[in-house]
Amino acid sequence: MPVRLKTVSRRMRSRAAGVSMKTPVRPEIQALSAYHVAEADGMVKLDAMENPYAWPACLPEALQQQWLEVLRQARLNRYPDPHAKRLAATIRDVFAVPAASDIVLGNGSDELIHLLITAVAAPDAVVLSVAPGFVMYPMIALFNRVKYVAVPLLAEDFSLDMAAMREAIEQYQPKVVFLAYPNNPTGNLFARQQVEEIIDRAPGWVVIDEAYAAFAADSFLSRLREFPNLLVMRTLSKMGLAGLRLGYLCAAPELVSELDKIRLPYNINSLTQLSAEFALAHREILDQQASALCRQRQQMMERLQDMPGLQVFPSQANFILFRTQHKDASGVFAALKQSGVLIKDLSATTESLKGCLRVTIGLADENEKFLAALEMALG
Ligand code: PMP
């Protein structure tokens, strides 16, 4: 008791004297700003690679009722199944995960990236990827005090610079290599043979991040057995269920069992487990949406290519990267916003993305609004 009283009184004294406590937060964390999500109320939202079909409103009425019935059976007073066994089995079945591989689930694939980097974090550990690449790889490396090396992609088409990749792998001996396939924010698939060479050369794990698999023509999932150091990571976020926060990682069982040790218990909540199982049992609905979005992507691509002053990059994802060659990209972004259309301004992020904006494929009428506003903005 006396100890507690003393502590309180000291704190009260220092407050009264206007003395602030010295923060225990590491300087590199203090220097960060929290992940920024743009305000999008009432806007045409084409900034975050979400699927535009509203769940559950996109379902026939009878299926909506079935889903609600499933949720009604949830027992929220109990912890969820810690291994989400039924959901993992559904994922294995629906996505044809090879029998010899195991699955670990994450609260979004962001959490899986966290698990992977935490598993290898050590003073001499290096995580390697490419630039431009997915922003969470360097962020999470920093959270874990792990050195992050990004090898620049070739500026003309954002393909892999294999000479530089070979050199970096040799020099840094990375514990983990992350390759997003297709890449975010550029949208392209890297050449398959080059990715294979990287998997062969890498001394540690190679994570092929297939967040956009639903829109892409290629995948490494069926090839897990060929490469013992290969991990394939995916998410339901881009397929239509971003609100559930569910990612999955497939790899050799001995590798998954290491990740399972550092996974926080009950990381996949009950409502997500039930909803994801239900949604995946009706996978054809999600597949049809992905096909429709690929058709929309093709149309959007052609329309953008027809606009003078734009350099449009090929995409195997649900977004398109383009460069405004004669107009200031941030000005175009601001004009679009003014017209009620939110996309992503990447022009100030790195040199190779100078003048670049990224638009997510939406519903046909959303895409039309975007194209009309863009035409106006380009003048
Ligand atoms: N990987 C890539 C390449 C991404 O673009 C994203 C999301 N933008 C993620 C992983 C994370 O997805 P989530 O956490 O929603 O599963």
Side-chain angles (χ1 to χ4, degrees):
M1 254 342 225
V3 174
R4 196 158 155 239
L5 280 176
K6 197 173 158 201
T7 315
V8 170
S9 69
R10 190 190 297 145
R11 194 192 311 151
M12 285 166 72
R13 268 204 309 278
S14 60
R15 263 203 206 136
V19 181
S20 64
M21 193 188 75
K22 217 170 145 231
T23 175
V25 176
R26 282 151 50 194
E28 65 269 32
I29 302 294
Q30 286 183 57
L32 290 176
S33 10
Y35 189 82
H36 174 69
V37 178
E39 193 50 65
D41 265 3
M43 312 250 322
V44 174
K45 191 173 183 317
L46 302 177
D47 66 327
M49 284 85 87
E50 292 147 322
N51 172 327
Y53 296 95
W55 179 283
C58 67
L59 300 176
E61 182 59 32
L63 277 187
Q64 292 189 36
Q65 288 308 320
Q66 278 180 34
W67 173 59
L68 290 173
E69 196 44 51
V70 166
L71 291 187
R72 204 167 277 134
Q73 283 155 24
R75 295 288 168 262
L76 296 184
N77 56 316
R78 300 289 179 199
Y79 283 113
D81 173 355
H83 300 289
K85 286 185 291 297
R86 269 202 342 234
L87 175 55
T90 305
I91 286 176
R92 177 181 292 286
D93 191 40
V94 166
F95 297 111
V97 176
S101 307
D102 271 359
I103 302 172
V104 58
L105 303 179
N107 193 312
S109 38
D110 285 345
E111 191 192 23
L112 295 169
I113 300 168
H114 220 313
L115 287 184
L116 288 159
I117 300 183
T118 305
V120 302
D124 62 341
V126 169
V127 167
L128 189 132
S129 189
V130 296
F134 181 42
V135 290
M136 290 314 288
Y137 310 146
M139 292 293 279
I140 294 173
L142 184 143
F143 301 161
N144 284 284
R145 295 178 175 235
V146 170
K147 182 179 167 76
Y148 179 79
V149 174
V151 177
L153 295 171
L154 294 175
E156 59 273 21
D157 60 359
F158 299 116
S159 61
L160 289 165
D161 180 343
M162 283 307 286
M165 285 302 285
R166 287 183 200 114
E167 203 180 308
I169 289 172
E170 185 59 31
Q171 181 182 350
Y172 295 106
Q173 297 288 308
K175 301 277 188 216
V176 189
V177 177
F178 284 98
L179 291 177
Y181 189 80
N183 190 37
N184 173 19
T186 56
N188 55 316
L189 271 184
F190 301 128
R192 180 179 245 260
Q193 277 145 324
Q194 295 182 339
V195 175
E196 288 168 7
E197 184 186 330
I198 290 169
I199 302 170
D200 277 334
R201 280 178 184 268
W205 295 341
V206 178
V207 180
I208 303 299
D209 179 349
E210 297 189 350
Y212 301 95
F215 315 99
D218 195 27
S219 163
F220 275 82
L221 187 65
S222 66
R223 309 192 55 198
L224 279 164
R225 238 172 324 164
E226 283 174 55
F227 306 97
N229 61 333
L230 169 64
L231 303 90
V232 174
M233 185 170 75
R234 291 194 176 168
T235 176
L236 299 199
S237 295
K238 319 296 170 182
M239 302 181 53
L241 300 162
L244 292 183
R245 305 302 296 130
L246 185 72
Y248 61 100
L249 182 88
C250 310
E254 59 274 21
L255 210 152
V256 166
S257 67
E258 295 298 337
L259 296 172
D260 226 21
K261 293 179 198 167
I262 48 174
R263 184 177 59 83
L264 295 179
Y266 315 116
N267 62 330
I268 311 299
N269 74 69
S270 305
L271 298 179
T272 292
Q273 292 192 25
L274 291 169
S275 297
E277 267 176 55
F278 180 85
L280 292 178
H282 301 281
R283 187 203 172 169
E284 67 287 352
I285 297 172
L286 301 175
D287 285 347
Q288 280 159 15
Q289 293 173 353
S291 303
L293 290 168
C294 286
R295 288 194 295 276
Q296 285 292 321
R297 175 181 70 196
Q298 182 57 29
Q299 285 179 22
M300 177 98 99
M301 184 69 78
E302 287 164 16
R303 298 274 295 276
L304 289 173
Q305 278 164 344
D306 283 347
M307 286 189 198
L310 292 188
Q311 181 185 11
V312 190
F313 295 94
S315 170
Q316 293 264 327
N318 64 342
F319 59 85
I320 294 176
L321 181 78
F322 60 97
R323 177 175 279 131
T324 58
Q325 289 165 308
H326 311 306
K327 286 252 174 179
D328 167 52
S330 295
V332 171
F333 169 80
L336 287 169
K337 203 167 162 187
Q338 198 66 39
S339 318
V341 180
L342 185 66
I343 63 168
K344 183 83 177 172
D345 181 6
L346 297 163
S347 61
T349 53
T350 62
E351 185 58 28
S352 61
L353 290 176
K354 240 176 133 185
C356 286
L357 301 170
R358 184 190 66 197
V359 61
T360 303
I361 310 298
L363 299 171
D365 65 318
E366 295 176 318
N367 300 337
E368 284 305 326
K369 277 187 197 139
F370 157 71
L371 288 163
L374 181 63
E375 231 156 10
M376 287 256 295
L378 292 173

